[in-house]
Amino acid sequence: MKRSLPVHFTGVHGNAVLLAQKFLAEVLQEGSCAVDATAGNGNDTLFLARCVGPKGKVYSFDIQRRALEQTAALLKENGLLGRVQLIQAGHEHMEKYIKEALRAVIFNLGYLPGGDHAVTTRPETTINAVNAALKNLEPGGRISVVIYTGHTGAAEESRAVEDLAAMLDPEIYGVLKLSFLNRSALAPYLVLVERRVTDENLAP
Ligand SMILES: C[S@@+](CC[C@H](N)C(=O)[O-])C[C@H]1O[C@@H](n2cnc3c(N)ncnc32)[C@H](O)[C@@H]1O
């Protein structure tokens, strides 16, 4: 029997990041492997580290040293640094660093809040990274992409992510675009992807 994308959000008054976290929390469990593709100030990394438990592992990428320092400080403050590998490299290189199958990957695009607004995620590297995440996503695994519309190149980036997501085989992936209808048209929105639990319905 085919499964539809199960989304059990408990509320929609939050922001896009909270919804992304809820979407991933549903599939994360003790011992899972997860990726924060854009560490920034470390909030998503901290969230993932809590979800995977002491036996789990989180890989957290950012190109800016300052972002990783802030992430490390936040994790240390919460006693969770031990289960996270911080990597100062572009997320498009994640396959070089990660050999495990991935249960959840979070992308929070754009620039570092409080940092240099000229340093942002970019369409080509974002697409390469989403493709790498898809390649290593385990059955039942999920990817969330929080998409911002304000930074330079944001329009191209959002289009590229949507185009990629729209091309994914519906026999293998459930894909959802989620936006707030009663907020500014510039409000961040989500692209959510889930890989089906089994491939049993597929033709050989
Ligand atoms: C909106 S912030 C992330 C917020 C973060 N997840 C948090 O919880 O605070 C986006 C981050 O993406 C980073 N970034 C930009 N290009 C990147 C790339 N190619 N690989 C990894 N990180 C990148 C930026 O340096 C910035 O820190």
Side-chain angles (χ1 to χ4, degrees), residues 37-41 43-44 62-64 90-92 108-109 111-112:
T38 51
N41 289 319
N43 302 301
D44 296 318
D62 207 291
I63 50 174
Q64 299 191 69
H91 42 217
E92 63 276 18
N108 194 337
L109 303 179
Y111 52 77
L112 178 65

